[in-house]
Amino acid sequence: MLHGRQAEIAAIDELIARAHGGEGGALVLRGEAGAGKTALLDRAASGAGAMRVLEAVGVEAESDLAFAALHQLLRPVTGLLDALPGPQRAAVRGALGLAASGDRFLLGAGVLSLLAEAAAPDGLVCVVDDFQWVDRASADALLFAARRLGTERVALLLTVRGDAPVKGVPSLDVGGLPEEAAAGLLDALAGGTIAAGVRQRLVTLTAGNPLALRETVRRLSPDQLGGREPLPDPLPGGSRLFGERVAALPAPVRRLALLAALEGDLGTVLRASGSAGRPALDELEAAGLAHVTGTSVRFHHPLVRSAVHESATPAARRTAHAELAAATEPQAHDTGAADTAATDREAPDTGAFADRRAWHLAGAALGPDEFVAAELARAAARARDRGGYGAAAVGLARAADLTPAPLTRAGRLKDAAVSAWLGGLPGRAQSLLAEARRHAGGDAALESQIAQLRGRFELNSGDASEAVRILSAGSGAAARSADGLALLADASEAAAYVGDTAALIEIGRRAEAYPEGFLRDAVAGVGAVPAGREDGPGLLRRALARTGELRDAAEFLWASAAASQLGEADLSAELIGRAGRVARVSGMTGQLPVVLEYVATAERIAGRLAESQAVSEEGLELAREAGYVNTVAAHQANLAAVAALRGQEEICRRHAHEALAIALPHRVGLRAGTAAYALGMLDLGLGRFDAAHDRFCALVNAGPGAGHPSVVWRSTPDRIEAAVGAGDLNGARTALEAYERWSAHAATAESRALLARCRALVAPPDGEEAIEGFAEALRSHTNPYEAARTALLLGERLRRAHRPGEARARLRTALETFRQAGAEPWARRAHAELRAAGESAEAPAGSVLDLLTPQELRIAGLVADGLSSKEIAARLFLSPRTVEYHLYKIYPKLGIGTRTELARLVVLRKAP
């Protein structure tokens, strides 16, 4: 019976009931040791009814073993892995030691999908006790899933001691029992023999902690409980709670308890303890301090383990680790434990045993030891290869501590920093890298690698201009090597983020010293074009000719940069789309949040505002999880631009200001410029031409770190429109001259269309030149959204030229496109012009697809592309069941019943 926990029980029951009904969620139970968190989990598991239950316990001895907790939790449902999308299945199998591949984001999505499969048909309750000791790799995957359970029939309950952070999951404090409940518990424990004054004193001194109450009553005599003898002062508690009981154990039992405190596997503990092991284990269980669960020894309470550990001398702990290392052999697992404990392992995971052995060797080490360090480094590499970057970072850092040779130590610290960065620990990565620099000893190759990492870390989370400096200097030290070109490429990317044209030009010049190739030509060309060099476009064209050879997402982003520098925004967007598809389904190693910056921008430029919003919302969440601060600013800036096009003033300003609060101090001019552009587009869409004109002009004058040439170039058609609306024709013509220079080497139809529209805008308003220019642009447009912008301008000119019939046709087309895109200010403007041209009908209701949320619209678009639910789940980091859930919501909204009908609606919406 649980005393005084009605509120906690109600919250847990509500979570489980919602999950059973299809609205999953997670809850953290937070409290001090002994507060009763485990009892609440036990009650949740036993009361789950027909729902399946999965359980795991965080064990401090296993907190450095990658995926130990995940293996424990998911082992009963590994038979469901075949139902997962291929990339997710491979990632989960890798994490569980069943395959050799793994990726952080794919793994989280795979865990989500596997939990969703396990929830069929009646729901699933997952309980994870002592989450503060769950290994980092398992914790990351579980929290990724926990934050995305909204449409799954899954309830996830975690317990945490103290203030251990659990990002993104609501928590419920489990404190001491209320006075009345604590008194009731004492009466039950003492059999009604406790005196009132003693009861009150015990409740006060233990603060109502249930475990403290139980252990205190156990230790007090009947006379003390009855008030006939004084209570001891102080009461036994805190670290002394189990200390006396541990100290009272016979030496062989204390030795076995120490082995169990350092190792979770029962077979290994028994092999290390020798012939005395089984009798000692029986005594430990009889003392009520531990019990056997499956193939593990579990202490009655984590404080028992703490008491065992604290009571042992450092020498005894080192000896125990050495004995466990000797006993940790996979081939001995079944033979050594066959007569002592049942096992449900189909085959030993040799990697897991090697990892355990490495950590025990490290625990036994007295000082630097290369053999032990190498074993630990190999264990860390196995964790990294399975996607356990956090565990890899810990293992490599410990290996570095044990490494005698300074240069080898620096290399391991550098590798630890990489793993920490990929594991979403940017602060830890920075400190590890700083330590690696101190031990690098002038080794040129290692120092160039460290410089590249320092620059990448700075670019993702710090000052982008500092990243340019670090990477440029590092590339000079590694001149003419492969590392040198990679550093130059990263320096060029950083300079592009800042908007530092001078740096781009200099970096491009230095890249020319390297042999011809895709990356060399792209970096050199990106610098040569703004320098006005005649060979710049040729370099970029030569790089783009190699696009068919590209495989990596980063390479496709470089190709998109080449197309963008040529003024071909449509080709750039296409290449960005390819980068996004590659990044989602292959070894992303942390690239995805950054790639999604560009994918979201490309969707917005194409007028697919709902899709752009959904991508940025996903990217924003992933960037926050990964600790990529500057990528957070990028997605905030894009969300501001989407809101601007929709006329959502408050949302636009909020996202823009949040983006600027990061981008300006971090000198990320590309994202600061996008946020400022969003505010200008908000004014332009709402007809505030003077304000829009001022904002666009400010963009032109913003220096590196506050603005960006690419944003200026892309926004010039908007600046020209704002200038014309504000009556500044000279300003519009000046902007056109600059735009003609930027577009001089563009060869795509869309680039020609935009240039024709800009020329038409500055043509005399009362002649045919403007009308013919807009018509020419319309014939060339490949982007439906930009075509609608041109159609609106053409319709306005035709109406003012007293040709209302021709105007109405153009305005109708523009109105429909704007409504489909959700660009409400532009739709209102088109509708007003349509009415002024004699159209009496009300504005059309827009596309039926407007009823869908951004996520639903993305799923609908992928259905139209012919993807299955599994394939869509793999693309969007969802479970297949979540995709089906969304489809079942989509169908009634649209009044359809099949994928074919849905695809037809999407295709019609996309048609120009």
Side-chain angles (χ1 to χ4, degrees), residues 10 67 146 180 342 395 402 428 522 648 672 686 693 701 742 847 866 894:
F67 303 113
E180 185 177 346
L402 295 170
R428 178 63 174 151
Q648 298 168 332
L686 295 175
H693 184 34
N701 297 320
W742 286 323
S847 169
L894 304 184

Side-chain angles (χ1 to χ4, degrees), residues 662-757:
I662 297 171
L664 288 175
H666 286 202
R667 306 282 293 163
V668 188
L670 180 59
R671 305 315 175 191
T674 301
Y677 158 79
L679 295 170
M681 285 303 294
L682 178 70
D683 287 330
L684 181 61
L686 295 175
R688 302 192 292 242
F689 295 109
D690 289 335
H693 184 34
D694 289 344
R695 289 192 184 277
F696 289 134
C697 288
L699 261 179
V700 175
N701 297 320
H708 199 277
S710 178
V711 177
V712 173
W713 161 60
R714 288 184 183 274
S715 65
T716 298
D718 307 304
R719 177 158 61 108
I720 292 171
E721 185 175 340
V724 171
D728 183 5
L729 292 180
N730 288 333
R733 293 189 182 100
T734 300
L736 174 60
E737 290 172 3
Y739 195 64
E740 288 175 330
R741 290 193 298 272
W742 286 323
S743 305
H745 303 290
T748 61
E750 185 62 28
S751 61
R752 290 195 301 271
L754 289 172
L755 185 55
R757 184 172 86 198

Side-chain angles (χ1 to χ4, degrees), residues 38-422:
T38 301
L40 287 166
L41 287 193
D42 291 343
R43 195 256 179 204
S46 62
M51 300 174 76
R52 174 180 265 166
V53 177
L54 295 177
E55 300 178 81
V57 179
V59 180
E60 192 172 5
E62 298 180 345
S63 60
D64 292 325
L65 297 174
F67 303 113
L70 203 62
H71 191 277
Q72 185 187 155
L73 183 73
L74 299 182
R75 185 169 52 186
V77 294
T78 53
L80 301 174
L81 279 169
D82 285 344
L84 272 60
Q88 294 180 11
R89 180 172 63 249
V92 177
R93 287 177 62 83
L96 299 182
L98 304 174
S101 63
D103 176 87
R104 183 180 176 206
F105 295 131
L106 282 174
L107 174 60
V111 169
L112 174 65
S113 293
L114 187 56
L115 294 179
E117 290 298 326
D122 297 312
L124 172 68
V125 176
C126 291
V127 295
V128 183
D129 205 2
D130 285 324
F131 192 74
Q132 75 277 357
W133 286 327
V134 165
D135 62 277
R136 177 62 190 249
S138 296
D140 283 346
L142 285 171
L143 291 177
F144 184 99
R147 290 187 282 266
R148 294 163 174 82
L149 289 175
T151 61
E152 311 294 356
R153 303 183 71 178
V154 179
L156 175 60
L157 287 161
L158 314 171
T159 68
V160 171
R161 186 187 298 184
D163 298 325
V166 183
K167 271 197 312 188
V169 180
S171 64
L172 177 67
D173 288 334
V174 181
L177 294 175
E179 184 174 331
E180 185 177 346
L185 175 59
L186 283 171
D187 284 337
L189 293 170
T193 62
I194 190 167
V198 172
R199 183 194 304 113
Q200 179 63 45
R201 180 73 173 153
L202 292 180
V203 171
T204 300
L205 292 175
T206 62
N209 183 289
L211 179 62
L213 290 170
R214 290 178 185 278
E215 291 301 316
T216 300
V217 169
R218 179 197 286 266
R219 292 163 182 242
L220 297 179
S221 68
D223 286 342
Q224 288 171 325
L225 289 171
R228 295 179 292 278
E229 289 186 8
L231 294 174
D233 185 21
L235 285 178
S239 62
R240 297 177 55 197
L241 201 57
F242 295 102
E244 293 176 7
R245 293 173 65 186
V246 169
L249 295 173
V253 182
R254 287 202 309 277
R255 175 173 174 261
L256 180 126
L258 178 59
L259 292 169
L262 299 174
E263 169 59 54
D265 180 71
L266 173 61
T268 304
V269 169
L270 292 174
R271 285 194 297 278
S273 60
S275 59
R278 185 56 188 261
L281 179 61
D282 291 342
E283 285 193 56
L284 187 64
E285 287 187 294
L289 293 175
H291 60 279
V292 174
T293 301
T295 60
S296 301
V297 180
R298 294 283 184 250
F299 289 100
H300 170 66
H301 191 275
L303 289 180
V304 178
R305 180 187 182 278
S306 298
V308 170
H309 196 271
E310 291 169 8
S311 68
T313 64
R317 289 197 289 269
R318 288 194 297 271
T319 299
H321 274 300
E323 291 170 340
L324 288 165
T328 306
E329 299 291 344
Q331 63 270 25
H333 181 267
D334 291 326
T335 57
D339 60 348
T340 58
T343 176
D344 59 357
R345 294 177 188 260
E346 295 180 1
D349 181 353
T350 56
F353 280 97
D355 295 349
R356 290 174 183 273
R357 180 173 180 271
W359 278 104
H360 287 310
L361 287 171
L366 273 170
D369 186 322
E370 177 54 31
F371 173 79
V372 176
E375 288 289 302
L376 203 52
R378 282 191 283 272
R382 284 189 290 272
R384 180 198 61 217
D385 292 343
R386 295 156 66 195
Y389 298 115
V394 172
L396 284 164
R398 177 63 176 138
D401 289 340
L402 295 170
T403 302
L407 197 59
T408 306
R409 183 179 190 184
R412 285 171 178 159
L413 286 166
K414 181 263 295 180
D415 292 342
V418 173
S419 290
W421 177 47
L422 295 176

